[in-house]
């Protein structure tokens, strides 16, 4: 049994919607939208309000974890036998895992009772930002080069045997 096509496209749009709002709210926390007058555009004033972008970022993180849980369950329950992760699938999975781990540690940094060393906070922040750039950069490359997350095992075996003559 494979994943119904409808569920596939809904989950794909939910993933793109979630990443879009994580990027928007993430950069909203670094108050660049005020500095570059984007928050002055009517209707976008909320982008300069730290706590609004902060809580949208947390909601986005929860949604991202939900979408990831759906994809992991779907892959191992329905697709493991007939689909294989591609290099770009593995790469993006590792980047999202890194964003989640660094994100969780940044959340702990925000707890009143936790005082992480300044150097670690800067390291976590830079990790999070570099991973964001990797996700956006590699996401764009995958879009342009039509790199998929998974490939059918049968197709891969056929291609490999054709390539090996
Ligand atoms: C596609 C995924 C994500 C993107 C694009 C993203 C983007 C960003 C960006 C641009 C920042 C600002 C960094 C800075 O201030 O230097 C940020 C901060 C943060 N992100 Fe994310 N993030 C993502 C996923 C997550 C996840 C999954 C979590 C939690 C599990 C998370 C938690 C945080 C926290 C706590 C902060 C710091 C906010 C503060 O300054 O206190 N992020 N994120």
């Amino acid at each position: 049994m494979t994943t119904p096509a409808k569920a596939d496209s809904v989950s794909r749009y939910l993933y793109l919607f979630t990443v879009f709002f994580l990027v928007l709210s993430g950069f909203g926390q670094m108050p660049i939208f005020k500095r570059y007058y984007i928050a002055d555009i009517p209707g976008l004033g909320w982008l300069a309000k730290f706590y609004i972008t902060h809580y949208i970022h947390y909601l986005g993180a929860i949604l991202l974890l939900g979408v990831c849980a759906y994809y992991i369950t779907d892959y191992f329950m329905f697709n493991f036998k007939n689909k294989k992760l591609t290099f770009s699938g593995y790469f993006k999975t590792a980047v999202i895992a890194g964003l989640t781990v660094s994100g969780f540690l940044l959340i702990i940094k925000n707890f009143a009772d936790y005082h992480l060393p300044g150097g670690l906070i800067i390291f976590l922040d830079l990790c999070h930002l570099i991973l964001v750039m990797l996700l956006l950069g590699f996401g764009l490359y995958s879009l342009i080069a039509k790199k998929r997350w998974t490939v059918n095992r049968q197709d891969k075996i056929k291609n490999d045997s054709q390539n090996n003559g």
Side-chain angles (χ1 to χ4, degrees):
M1 191 163 95
T2 58
T3 321
K6 184 115 182 87
D8 241 5
S9 67
V10 170
S11 55
R12 188 160 179 278
Y13 286 114
L14 197 56
Y15 168 75
L16 293 173
F17 169 84
T18 307
V19 170
F20 174 73
F21 271 95
L22 276 165
V23 172
L24 201 63
S25 60
F27 287 110
Q29 294 172 98
M30 308 159 58
I32 55 175
F33 292 122
K34 187 71 193 156
R35 194 175 304 148
Y36 299 109
Y37 312 106
I38 295 164
D40 297 339
I41 299 170
L44 296 184
W46 60 275
L47 284 171
K49 298 201 166 57
F50 177 81
Y51 279 100
I52 293 182
T53 53
H54 195 59
Y55 289 117
I56 290 176
H57 202 68
Y58 280 13
L59 285 175
I62 295 165
L63 204 53
L64 182 73
L65 297 177
V67 171
C68 292
Y70 166 80
Y71 273 118
I72 293 166
T73 315
D74 175 67
Y75 180 70
F76 287 104
M77 284 187 68
F78 302 120
N79 292 306
F80 186 72
K81 285 208 184 75
N82 53 13
K83 284 195 177 165
K84 188 179 177 346
L85 270 178
T86 59
F87 169 76
S88 68
Y90 277 114
F91 186 87
K92 284 186 272 188
T93 304
V95 169
I96 291 172
L99 278 165
T100 305
V101 173
S102 59
F104 269 119
L105 292 170
L106 284 168
I107 290 177
I108 292 172
K109 169 210 64 153
N110 290 330
F111 288 159
D113 308 332
Y114 282 81
H115 303 290
L116 299 182
L120 177 61
I121 294 173
I122 293 168
F123 171 73
L124 287 173
D125 225 24
L126 285 176
C127 281
H128 203 68
L129 264 180
I130 291 165
L131 288 165
V132 169
M133 295 310 173
L134 281 176
L135 187 73
L136 296 179
F138 203 82
L140 191 63
Y141 159 72
S142 307
L143 206 64
I144 296 165
K146 295 192 172 50
K147 296 286 181 193
R148 300 178 59 83
W149 285 71
T150 57
V151 65
N152 280 332
R153 287 184 192 278
Q154 294 318 318
D155 297 350
K156 179 140 182 28
I157 294 165
K158 220 185 293 165
N159 294 347
D160 290 353
S161 59
Q162 277 165 359
N163 294 344
N164 301 340

